[in-house]
Amino acid sequence: MAPYSADFEKALQVGRPPNIKKLFPNSKALIVSGKVVDRAMLAKGKAIAMAANGRNYFVIRGALMAAQRANCPLIIEIAKSEGGQKAYCAVNYWNMARIVDALCNELEITVPVAIHADHYGIKNDKDLAAAKVEIPTMFEAGITSIAIDASHLPDDQNLLANLDINPSIPAWAGLETEVGEIKGNQGLSTVDEAKFLIQGLNAHEIFPDWIALNNGTTHGLEASAAGIQVGLTADIHKALEPYKVNGAQHGTSGNSSERLREIANQTATTKANVATALQMISWGLEVNDYGNAQLDADGNFIKVKGEGMTEELWAEVVAYANEKGWKKGDYKSLNLPFENRLLAQPKEIRDRMTKRVEDFTYKMMTEVFNAKDTAPLAIEAILKAGSHDVGPKGSLIEDPAHWTREQIIERAKTIASDKGPEGNFDD
Protein backbone atom coordinates (compact mmCIF):
# COMPACT_ATOMS: atom_id res chain seq x y z
CA MET A 1 0.00 0.00 0.00
CA ALA A 2 1.36 3.42 -0.99
CA PRO A 3 1.64 5.89 1.90
CA TYR A 4 -0.95 8.65 2.02
CA SER A 5 0.45 12.15 1.38
CA ALA A 6 0.88 14.62 4.23
CA ASP A 7 -1.69 16.97 2.66
CA PHE A 8 -4.21 14.13 2.36
CA GLU A 9 -3.68 13.14 6.00
CA LYS A 10 -4.17 16.73 7.12
CA ALA A 11 -7.27 17.14 4.94
CA LEU A 12 -8.62 13.92 6.42
CA GLN A 13 -8.21 15.38 9.91
CA VAL A 14 -9.85 18.76 9.25
CA GLY A 15 -11.89 18.33 6.05
CA ARG A 16 -14.47 15.71 6.97
CA PRO A 17 -17.79 17.19 8.17
CA PRO A 18 -18.94 16.33 11.72
CA ASN A 19 -21.59 13.84 10.56
CA ILE A 20 -18.97 11.90 8.59
CA LYS A 21 -16.49 11.88 11.47
CA LYS A 22 -19.18 10.56 13.78
CA LEU A 23 -20.28 7.81 11.38
CA PHE A 24 -16.81 6.74 10.28
CA PRO A 25 -14.35 7.67 13.07
CA ASN A 26 -11.48 5.51 11.79
CA SER A 27 -12.01 5.95 8.05
CA LYS A 28 -9.42 6.89 5.43
CA ALA A 29 -12.15 8.11 3.05
CA LEU A 30 -12.03 11.84 2.37
CA ILE A 31 -15.80 12.46 2.26
CA VAL A 32 -16.36 16.22 2.04
CA SER A 33 -18.97 18.93 1.58
CA GLY A 34 -20.15 19.53 -1.98
CA LYS A 35 -18.75 23.07 -1.58
CA VAL A 36 -15.21 21.66 -1.64
CA VAL A 37 -15.79 20.00 -5.02
CA ASP A 38 -17.30 23.18 -6.47
CA ARG A 39 -14.30 25.23 -5.29
CA ALA A 40 -11.86 22.85 -6.98
CA MET A 41 -13.63 23.28 -10.34
CA LEU A 42 -13.61 27.06 -9.91
CA ALA A 43 -9.91 27.03 -9.09
CA LYS A 44 -9.08 25.20 -12.33
CA GLY A 45 -11.59 27.18 -14.40
CA LYS A 46 -13.85 25.83 -17.16
CA ALA A 47 -13.97 22.52 -15.33
CA ILE A 48 -16.99 20.47 -14.29
CA ALA A 49 -17.24 17.86 -11.55
CA MET A 50 -19.13 14.72 -12.42
CA ALA A 51 -22.08 13.99 -10.17
CA ALA A 52 -22.41 10.28 -10.79
CA ASN A 53 -25.86 8.99 -10.05
CA GLY A 54 -25.34 5.90 -7.91
CA ARG A 55 -28.36 3.86 -8.98
CA ASN A 56 -26.41 0.69 -8.29
CA TYR A 57 -23.26 -0.48 -6.52
CA PHE A 58 -21.33 -0.94 -9.78
CA VAL A 59 -21.83 2.66 -10.89
CA ILE A 60 -20.51 3.94 -7.56
CA ARG A 61 -17.51 1.61 -7.60
CA GLY A 62 -16.64 2.38 -11.25
CA ALA A 63 -17.02 6.15 -10.83
CA LEU A 64 -14.76 6.14 -7.75
CA MET A 65 -12.09 4.18 -9.65
CA ALA A 66 -12.32 6.63 -12.56
CA ALA A 67 -12.04 9.65 -10.26
CA GLN A 68 -8.93 8.19 -8.62
CA ARG A 69 -7.44 7.51 -12.05
CA ALA A 70 -8.27 11.05 -13.23
CA ASN A 71 -7.14 12.55 -9.91
CA CYS A 72 -10.34 14.57 -9.60
CA PRO A 73 -12.96 14.96 -6.87
CA LEU A 74 -16.31 13.28 -7.40
CA ILE A 75 -19.92 13.74 -6.34
CA ILE A 76 -21.96 10.58 -5.78
CA GLU A 77 -25.67 11.34 -5.75
CA ILE A 78 -29.14 9.87 -5.78
CA ALA A 79 -32.46 11.67 -6.30
CA LYS A 80 -35.54 11.49 -4.07
CA SER A 81 -37.51 9.45 -6.62
CA GLU A 82 -34.62 6.97 -6.90
CA GLY A 83 -33.42 6.79 -3.30
CA GLY A 84 -36.05 8.39 -1.08
CA GLN A 85 -38.79 6.69 0.94
CA LYS A 86 -40.46 5.40 -2.25
CA ALA A 87 -37.17 4.41 -3.87
CA TYR A 88 -36.77 2.31 -7.02
CA CYS A 89 -33.06 1.76 -6.26
CA ALA A 90 -31.35 -0.26 -3.52
CA VAL A 91 -28.93 2.65 -3.03
CA ASN A 92 -30.67 5.40 -1.05
CA TYR A 93 -30.27 8.61 0.95
CA TRP A 94 -29.53 6.60 4.11
CA ASN A 95 -27.00 4.03 2.89
CA MET A 96 -25.13 5.88 0.13
CA ALA A 97 -22.46 7.35 2.42
CA ARG A 98 -21.82 3.92 3.95
CA ILE A 99 -21.35 2.35 0.52
CA VAL A 100 -19.00 5.15 -0.59
CA ASP A 101 -17.01 5.06 2.64
CA ALA A 102 -16.53 1.29 2.45
CA LEU A 103 -15.46 1.44 -1.20
CA CYS A 104 -13.05 4.34 -0.64
CA ASN A 105 -11.31 2.38 2.12
CA GLU A 106 -11.24 -0.85 0.12
CA LEU A 107 -9.95 0.78 -3.08
CA GLU A 108 -7.65 3.28 -1.29
CA ILE A 109 -9.40 6.23 -2.92
CA THR A 110 -7.61 9.47 -2.02
CA VAL A 111 -9.67 11.98 -4.03
CA PRO A 112 -12.34 13.96 -2.16
CA VAL A 113 -15.91 12.67 -2.58
CA ALA A 114 -19.17 14.47 -1.76
CA ILE A 115 -22.44 12.64 -1.01
CA HIS A 116 -25.26 14.58 -2.65
CA ALA A 117 -29.03 14.27 -2.17
CA ASP A 118 -30.19 15.28 -5.63
CA HIS A 119 -33.63 16.57 -6.58
CA TYR A 120 -35.06 16.69 -3.09
CA GLY A 121 -38.51 17.54 -4.42
CA ILE A 122 -40.93 19.83 -2.58
CA LYS A 123 -44.25 20.18 -4.41
CA ASN A 124 -46.66 21.30 -1.67
CA ASP A 125 -47.03 22.18 2.04
CA LYS A 126 -47.22 18.51 2.99
CA ASP A 127 -43.85 17.86 1.31
CA LEU A 128 -42.38 20.87 3.10
CA ALA A 129 -43.53 19.65 6.52
CA ALA A 130 -42.18 16.16 5.78
CA ALA A 131 -38.86 17.61 4.59
CA LYS A 132 -38.26 19.26 7.95
CA VAL A 133 -38.34 15.81 9.55
CA GLU A 134 -36.62 13.85 6.79
CA ILE A 135 -33.69 16.08 5.77
CA PRO A 136 -32.00 15.96 9.20
CA THR A 137 -32.15 12.13 9.07
CA MET A 138 -30.33 12.22 5.72
CA PHE A 139 -27.50 14.33 7.08
CA GLU A 140 -27.33 12.05 10.12
CA ALA A 141 -26.80 9.21 7.62
CA GLY A 142 -23.88 10.93 5.87
CA ILE A 143 -25.28 13.26 3.19
CA THR A 144 -22.89 16.21 2.68
CA SER A 145 -24.69 18.18 -0.04
CA ILE A 146 -28.30 18.67 -1.13
CA ALA A 147 -30.37 19.99 -4.03
CA ILE A 148 -33.65 21.54 -2.93
CA ASP A 149 -35.97 21.24 -5.91
CA ALA A 150 -39.16 23.24 -5.44
CA SER A 151 -39.15 24.13 -9.15
CA HIS A 152 -42.57 22.47 -9.60
CA LEU A 153 -44.06 25.38 -7.61
CA PRO A 154 -44.75 28.95 -8.81
CA ASP A 155 -41.75 31.31 -8.45
CA ASP A 156 -42.80 32.85 -5.15
CA GLN A 157 -43.61 29.47 -3.59
CA ASN A 158 -40.32 28.03 -4.85
CA LEU A 159 -38.38 30.80 -3.11
CA LEU A 160 -40.45 30.62 0.08
CA ALA A 161 -40.03 26.83 0.26
CA ASN A 162 -36.24 27.25 -0.07
CA LEU A 163 -36.26 29.84 2.72
CA ASP A 164 -38.45 27.69 4.94
CA ILE A 165 -36.36 24.52 4.63
CA ASN A 166 -32.93 26.15 4.90
CA PRO A 167 -32.64 25.91 8.73
CA SER A 168 -32.78 22.11 8.32
CA ILE A 169 -29.59 22.13 6.19
CA PRO A 170 -26.15 22.47 7.83
CA ALA A 171 -24.39 25.71 6.85
CA TRP A 172 -21.27 23.78 5.81
CA ALA A 173 -23.15 21.55 3.32
CA GLY A 174 -23.13 21.96 -0.45
CA LEU A 175 -26.38 23.60 -1.57
CA GLU A 176 -28.14 23.50 -4.94
CA THR A 177 -31.37 25.22 -5.83
CA GLU A 178 -33.50 24.89 -8.95
CA VAL A 179 -35.64 27.06 -11.17
CA GLY A 180 -37.80 25.59 -13.92
CA GLU A 181 -38.78 21.94 -14.08
CA ILE A 182 -36.74 19.69 -16.36
CA LYS A 183 -39.17 19.44 -19.31
CA GLY A 184 -36.94 19.39 -22.36
CA ASN A 185 -37.54 22.30 -24.73
CA GLN A 186 -40.75 23.42 -23.00
CA GLY A 187 -41.03 25.84 -20.11
CA LEU A 188 -37.42 27.02 -20.44
CA SER A 189 -35.99 28.96 -17.52
CA THR A 190 -35.50 32.72 -17.90
CA VAL A 191 -33.02 35.25 -16.55
CA ASP A 192 -35.81 36.90 -14.52
CA GLU A 193 -36.88 33.66 -12.83
CA ALA A 194 -33.32 32.72 -11.93
CA LYS A 195 -32.47 36.20 -10.62
CA PHE A 196 -35.66 36.32 -8.55
CA LEU A 197 -34.77 33.04 -6.80
CA ILE A 198 -31.10 33.86 -6.19
CA GLN A 199 -31.74 37.48 -5.15
CA GLY A 200 -34.43 36.39 -2.70
CA LEU A 201 -32.14 33.81 -1.16
CA ASN A 202 -29.30 36.33 -1.02
CA ALA A 203 -31.47 38.81 0.90
CA HIS A 204 -31.89 36.10 3.55
CA GLU A 205 -28.15 35.36 3.56
CA ILE A 206 -28.49 32.03 1.78
CA PHE A 207 -25.76 31.60 -0.82
CA PRO A 208 -26.27 28.45 -2.96
CA ASP A 209 -23.26 26.84 -4.59
CA TRP A 210 -25.28 25.82 -7.65
CA ILE A 211 -28.44 26.61 -9.54
CA ALA A 212 -30.08 24.05 -11.84
CA LEU A 213 -32.14 25.33 -14.78
CA ASN A 214 -34.56 23.98 -17.32
CA ASN A 215 -32.18 24.82 -20.15
CA GLY A 216 -33.57 22.40 -22.71
CA THR A 217 -32.49 19.06 -21.36
CA THR A 218 -34.42 16.01 -20.23
CA HIS A 219 -33.88 13.14 -17.83
CA GLY A 220 -33.66 9.53 -18.94
CA LEU A 221 -33.69 8.44 -22.57
CA GLU A 222 -33.49 11.31 -25.04
CA ALA A 223 -34.22 10.61 -28.66
CA SER A 224 -33.72 14.11 -30.09
CA ALA A 225 -30.45 15.97 -30.52
CA ALA A 226 -31.96 19.29 -29.35
CA GLY A 227 -30.52 19.10 -25.86
CA ILE A 228 -28.99 21.81 -23.72
CA GLN A 229 -29.40 25.44 -24.78
CA VAL A 230 -25.83 26.65 -24.22
CA GLY A 231 -26.58 30.31 -25.05
CA LEU A 232 -29.53 30.48 -22.66
CA THR A 233 -27.44 28.89 -19.91
CA ALA A 234 -24.58 31.35 -20.47
CA ASP A 235 -26.98 34.34 -20.36
CA ILE A 236 -28.50 33.23 -17.05
CA HIS A 237 -25.10 32.51 -15.49
CA LYS A 238 -23.86 35.94 -16.64
CA ALA A 239 -26.82 37.63 -14.96
CA LEU A 240 -26.06 35.76 -11.73
CA GLU A 241 -22.35 36.63 -11.67
CA PRO A 242 -22.57 39.13 -8.76
CA TYR A 243 -24.13 36.39 -6.60
CA LYS A 244 -21.31 33.88 -7.26
CA VAL A 245 -23.56 30.91 -7.90
CA ASN A 246 -22.45 28.25 -10.39
CA GLY A 247 -24.48 26.03 -12.65
CA ALA A 248 -25.55 22.44 -12.08
CA GLN A 249 -26.29 20.69 -15.37
CA HIS A 250 -28.94 17.98 -15.28
CA GLY A 251 -29.81 15.40 -17.90
CA THR A 252 -26.40 15.09 -19.56
CA SER A 253 -27.19 11.62 -20.95
CA GLY A 254 -29.13 13.19 -23.82
CA ASN A 255 -26.29 15.40 -25.01
CA SER A 256 -23.19 14.89 -27.13
CA SER A 257 -19.68 15.31 -25.76
CA GLU A 258 -19.30 18.38 -27.97
CA ARG A 259 -22.27 20.12 -26.38
CA LEU A 260 -21.07 19.24 -22.88
CA ARG A 261 -17.66 20.72 -23.72
CA GLU A 262 -19.46 23.91 -24.75
CA ILE A 263 -21.20 23.95 -21.36
CA ALA A 264 -17.79 23.66 -19.67
CA ASN A 265 -16.20 26.37 -21.82
CA GLN A 266 -19.01 28.91 -22.24
CA THR A 267 -20.96 28.80 -18.97
CA ALA A 268 -20.31 28.88 -15.21
CA THR A 269 -21.24 25.22 -14.74
CA THR A 270 -19.19 23.27 -12.16
CA LYS A 271 -21.42 20.20 -11.62
CA ALA A 272 -22.96 17.85 -14.17
CA ASN A 273 -25.25 14.95 -13.34
CA VAL A 274 -24.73 11.69 -15.23
CA ALA A 275 -27.38 9.08 -14.49
CA THR A 276 -29.13 6.93 -17.09
CA ALA A 277 -26.00 6.43 -19.20
CA LEU A 278 -24.06 4.94 -16.26
CA GLN A 279 -26.86 2.53 -15.39
CA MET A 280 -27.07 1.28 -18.98
CA ILE A 281 -23.28 0.99 -19.29
CA SER A 282 -23.01 -1.05 -16.09
CA TRP A 283 -25.66 -3.45 -17.36
CA GLY A 284 -23.73 -4.01 -20.60
CA LEU A 285 -26.00 -2.23 -23.06
CA GLU A 286 -24.78 -0.53 -26.20
CA VAL A 287 -24.74 3.28 -25.87
CA ASN A 288 -23.81 6.07 -28.27
CA ASP A 289 -21.76 9.22 -27.65
CA TYR A 290 -24.88 10.84 -26.20
CA GLY A 291 -24.92 8.18 -23.47
CA ASN A 292 -28.20 6.90 -24.87
CA ALA A 293 -28.82 3.16 -24.99
CA GLN A 294 -29.19 2.01 -28.60
CA LEU A 295 -32.20 0.06 -29.85
CA ASP A 296 -32.30 -2.69 -32.45
CA ALA A 297 -34.69 -2.85 -35.42
CA ASP A 298 -37.42 -4.23 -33.16
CA GLY A 299 -37.03 -1.36 -30.67
CA ASN A 300 -35.24 -3.45 -28.04
CA PHE A 301 -32.09 -2.59 -26.07
CA ILE A 302 -28.91 -4.12 -27.48
CA LYS A 303 -27.01 -6.19 -24.92
CA VAL A 304 -23.30 -6.41 -25.81
CA LYS A 305 -22.19 -10.04 -25.49
CA GLY A 306 -19.50 -10.47 -22.85
CA GLU A 307 -20.10 -7.00 -21.35
CA GLY A 308 -21.98 -6.03 -18.20
CA MET A 309 -24.24 -8.60 -16.54
CA THR A 310 -24.47 -12.18 -17.82
CA GLU A 311 -26.61 -12.87 -20.87
CA GLU A 312 -28.75 -15.21 -18.75
CA LEU A 313 -29.50 -12.54 -16.16
CA TRP A 314 -30.23 -9.95 -18.86
CA ALA A 315 -32.81 -12.35 -20.35
CA GLU A 316 -34.45 -12.53 -16.91
CA VAL A 317 -34.39 -8.72 -16.62
CA VAL A 318 -36.13 -8.31 -19.98
CA ALA A 319 -38.70 -11.01 -19.15
CA TYR A 320 -39.45 -9.31 -15.82
CA ALA A 321 -39.92 -5.91 -17.51
CA ASN A 322 -42.17 -7.44 -20.20
CA GLU A 323 -44.26 -9.18 -17.57
CA LYS A 324 -44.77 -5.83 -15.84
CA GLY A 325 -45.63 -4.16 -19.15
CA TRP A 326 -42.78 -1.68 -18.70
CA LYS A 327 -41.62 0.61 -21.48
CA LYS A 328 -37.94 1.43 -22.10
CA GLY A 329 -38.08 4.47 -19.80
CA ASP A 330 -39.34 2.26 -16.96
CA TYR A 331 -36.24 0.04 -16.95
CA LYS A 332 -34.76 2.24 -14.18
CA SER A 333 -37.24 0.54 -11.82
CA LEU A 334 -35.37 -2.74 -12.37
CA ASN A 335 -32.59 -1.52 -10.05
CA LEU A 336 -34.36 -2.45 -6.81
CA PRO A 337 -35.58 -5.98 -7.67
CA PHE A 338 -32.29 -6.94 -9.38
CA GLU A 339 -29.54 -5.33 -7.25
CA ASN A 340 -28.93 -8.45 -5.16
CA ARG A 341 -29.08 -10.64 -8.24
CA LEU A 342 -26.37 -8.50 -9.82
CA LEU A 343 -24.24 -8.64 -6.67
CA ALA A 344 -24.56 -12.44 -6.63
CA GLN A 345 -22.83 -12.83 -10.01
CA PRO A 346 -19.24 -14.17 -10.18
CA LYS A 347 -16.42 -11.73 -9.49
CA GLU A 348 -15.27 -11.54 -13.12
CA ILE A 349 -18.78 -10.45 -14.16
CA ARG A 350 -19.01 -7.86 -11.37
CA ASP A 351 -15.55 -6.58 -12.29
CA ARG A 352 -16.43 -6.11 -15.95
CA MET A 353 -19.59 -4.18 -14.98
CA THR A 354 -17.46 -1.87 -12.85
CA LYS A 355 -14.70 -1.52 -15.45
CA ARG A 356 -17.15 -0.47 -18.14
CA VAL A 357 -18.40 2.35 -15.90
CA GLU A 358 -14.85 3.32 -14.95
CA ASP A 359 -13.69 3.66 -18.56
CA PHE A 360 -16.74 5.68 -19.64
CA THR A 361 -16.62 8.06 -16.66
CA TYR A 362 -12.83 8.49 -16.88
CA LYS A 363 -13.18 9.61 -20.49
CA MET A 364 -15.94 12.08 -19.56
CA MET A 365 -13.97 13.48 -16.62
CA THR A 366 -10.77 14.00 -18.61
CA GLU A 367 -11.88 14.65 -22.21
CA VAL A 368 -15.25 16.37 -21.75
CA PHE A 369 -15.45 17.94 -18.27
CA ASN A 370 -11.81 19.08 -18.06
CA ALA A 371 -11.62 17.86 -14.44
CA LYS A 372 -8.29 16.00 -14.57
CA ASP A 373 -5.91 16.73 -11.69
CA THR A 374 -8.38 18.87 -9.72
CA ALA A 375 -8.20 16.72 -6.55
CA PRO A 376 -5.20 18.69 -5.20
CA LEU A 377 -7.22 21.91 -5.68
CA ALA A 378 -10.01 20.48 -3.53
CA ILE A 379 -7.53 19.49 -0.82
CA GLU A 380 -5.98 22.97 -1.08
CA ALA A 381 -9.42 24.53 -0.44
CA ILE A 382 -9.80 22.43 2.73
CA LEU A 383 -6.31 23.26 4.00
CA LYS A 384 -6.74 26.95 3.24
CA ALA A 385 -9.99 26.99 5.25
CA GLY A 386 -8.44 24.74 7.90
CA SER A 387 -11.92 23.28 8.22
CA HIS A 388 -14.64 21.09 6.71
CA ASP A 389 -16.51 24.36 6.13
CA VAL A 390 -14.97 26.35 3.29
CA GLY A 391 -17.63 29.05 3.71
CA PRO A 392 -19.94 30.68 1.16
CA LYS A 393 -18.80 32.19 -2.14
CA GLY A 394 -21.50 34.84 -2.15
CA SER A 395 -22.12 37.75 0.21
CA LEU A 396 -25.12 39.89 1.09
CA ILE A 397 -26.07 42.18 -1.81
CA GLU A 398 -29.84 42.48 -1.60
CA ASP A 399 -31.68 44.54 1.02
CA PRO A 400 -33.62 42.13 3.30
CA ALA A 401 -36.24 44.86 3.84
CA HIS A 402 -37.28 44.45 0.19
CA TRP A 403 -37.69 40.67 0.41
CA THR A 404 -40.34 40.06 3.05
CA ARG A 405 -42.85 37.25 2.45
CA GLU A 406 -45.47 39.74 1.24
CA GLN A 407 -43.04 41.47 -1.10
CA ILE A 408 -41.85 38.13 -2.51
CA ILE A 409 -45.46 37.25 -3.43
CA GLU A 410 -45.99 40.67 -5.05
CA ARG A 411 -42.66 40.64 -6.89
CA ALA A 412 -43.37 37.22 -8.37
CA LYS A 413 -46.46 38.60 -10.14
CA THR A 414 -44.20 40.75 -12.35
CA ILE A 415 -42.18 37.80 -13.70
CA ALA A 416 -43.13 36.90 -17.26
CA SER A 417 -42.39 33.24 -17.91
CA ASP A 418 -43.79 30.13 -19.56
CA LYS A 419 -43.74 27.15 -17.20
CA GLY A 420 -44.56 24.72 -19.97
CA PRO A 421 -47.14 21.93 -19.82
CA GLU A 422 -48.56 20.40 -16.66
CA GLY A 423 -47.70 16.78 -15.99
CA ASN A 424 -45.54 14.38 -14.03
CA PHE A 425 -41.97 15.52 -14.54
CA ASP A 426 -40.52 13.66 -11.57
CA ASP A 427 -36.73 13.67 -11.51
Side-chain angles (χ1 to χ4, degrees):
M1 184 185 107
Y4 292 100
S5 73
D7 279 355
F8 174 83
E9 292 283 8
K10 193 169 178 194
L12 200 63
Q13 289 303 311
V14 302
R16 298 194 308 151
N19 60 340
I20 297 298
K21 281 190 165 181
K22 185 176 181 182
L23 286 168
F24 315 117
N26 305 309
S27 177
K28 285 283 193 182
L30 187 51
I31 295 179
V32 300
S33 163
K35 289 184 191 302
V36 171
V37 182
D38 171 60
R39 302 310 187 270
M41 300 305 118
L42 271 178
K44 181 169 186 181
K46 302 193 186 310
I48 297 176
M50 179 182 289
N53 184 286
R55 285 186 188 172
N56 65 42
Y57 170 88
F58 307 95
V59 167
I60 298 175
R61 190 180 181 98
L64 285 168
M65 291 167 75
Q68 184 71 14
R69 192 168 134 200
N71 193 28
C72 66
L74 175 69
I75 298 167
I76 297 289
E77 67 180 25
I78 202 95
K80 190 179 182 180
S81 57
E82 300 159 329
Q85 291 187 37
K86 297 176 182 175
Y88 59 74
C89 296
V91 178
N92 60 54
Y93 283 155
W94 299 275
N95 68 15
M96 190 160 58
R98 295 180 186 280
I99 294 167
V100 171
D101 184 79
L103 283 171
C104 285
N105 281 284
E106 178 202 337
L107 300 169
E108 295 180 6
I109 302 295
T110 55
V111 298
V113 184
I115 313 291
H116 184 76
D118 195 41
H119 282 300
Y120 188 89
I122 297 174
K123 298 184 179 181
N124 49 50
D125 289 342
K126 190 180 168 191
D127 284 351
L128 188 58
K132 291 175 183 177
V133 176
E134 187 176 54
I135 286 175
T137 73
M138 291 153 51
F139 280 95
E140 286 157 11
I143 293 294
T144 65
S145 182
I146 190 167
I148 298 299
D149 179 7
S151 63
H152 303 76
L153 298 170
D155 292 306
D156 55 345
Q157 299 305 310
N158 182 357
L159 173 53
L160 290 168
N162 271 269
L163 294 175
D164 211 8
I165 201 60
N166 196 259
S168 303
I169 301 167
W172 54 258
L175 179 62
E176 181 178 333
T177 191
E178 182 158 342
V179 63
E181 291 181 76
I182 307 300
K183 296 182 179 180
N185 61 3
Q186 301 185 80
L188 293 172
S189 300
T190 67
V191 169
D192 285 350
E193 287 172 310
K195 277 183 78 173
F196 174 82
L197 178 58
I198 297 302
Q199 286 174 334
L201 291 172
N202 182 277
H204 291 264
E205 297 189 71
I206 298 169
F207 311 112
D209 302 286
W210 301 288
I211 184 170
L213 313 169
N214 176 15
N215 57 356
T217 189
T218 58
H219 288 117
L221 299 165
E222 172 58 53
S224 84
I228 300 164
Q229 310 286 311
V230 180
L232 171 68
T233 309
D235 288 346
I236 292 174
H237 289 179
K238 182 81 178 158
L240 297 176
E241 259 179 21
Y243 303 92
K244 298 189 173 154
V245 59
N246 292 107
Q249 182 58 56
H250 293 191
T252 58
S253 299
N255 292 273
S256 67
S257 296
E258 197 47 54
R259 192 165 322 217
L260 294 174
R261 284 189 198 99
E262 287 175 16
I263 282 288
N265 288 319
Q266 297 173 31
T267 75
T269 303
T270 59
K271 171 181 181 280
N273 302 0
V274 187
T276 308
L278 302 186
Q279 165 193 284
M280 299 304 195
I281 285 160
S282 74
W283 289 351
L285 304 190
E286 192 173 301
V287 300
N288 64 4
D289 179 54
Y290 284 46
N292 279 331
Q294 299 298 280
L295 304 177
D296 64 18
D298 298 322
N300 297 315
F301 289 125
I302 303 165
K303 168 73 170 65
V304 183
K305 196 168 170 54
E307 299 275 1
M309 69 177 82
T310 64
E311 271 58 51
E312 294 78 15
L313 187 52
W314 175 246
E316 286 187 50
V317 165
V318 173
Y320 183 95
N322 289 342
E323 191 183 305
K324 294 274 188 187
W326 286 351
K327 298 184 176 69
K328 297 294 171 279
D330 299 323
Y331 267 55
K332 60 191 180 184
S333 296
L334 291 160
N335 282 287
L336 189 57
F338 279 91
E339 179 85 348
N340 290 352
R341 299 289 305 281
L342 293 168
L343 290 168
Q345 296 173 114
K347 185 176 186 301
E348 63 268 23
I349 305 296
R350 303 195 312 269
D351 285 349
R352 79 186 189 191
M353 289 179 71
T354 298
K355 181 66 176 163
R356 207 163 187 252
V357 174
E358 180 194 341
D359 290 344
F360 182 88
T361 51
Y362 175 79
K363 190 174 179 186
M364 276 195 95
M365 289 164 175
T366 56
E367 296 180 19
V368 180
F369 291 159
N370 187 34
K372 189 170 170 57
D373 294 327
T374 47
L377 299 174
I379 288 173
E380 199 176 291
I382 292 167
L383 299 183
K384 186 180 174 188
S387 167
H388 62 277
D389 187 356
V390 297
K393 289 176 298 191
S395 56
L396 186 64
I397 296 173
E398 299 299 318
D399 183 351
H402 295 160
W403 290 89
T404 63
R405 182 183 178 84
E406 293 71 26
Q407 286 168 313
I408 285 168
I409 292 165
E410 284 306 308
R411 275 173 179 262
K413 292 174 183 172
T414 67
I415 299 172
S417 65
D418 168 22
K419 296 297 185 188
E422 290 293 319
N424 181 16
F425 293 93
D426 238 346
D427 305 310

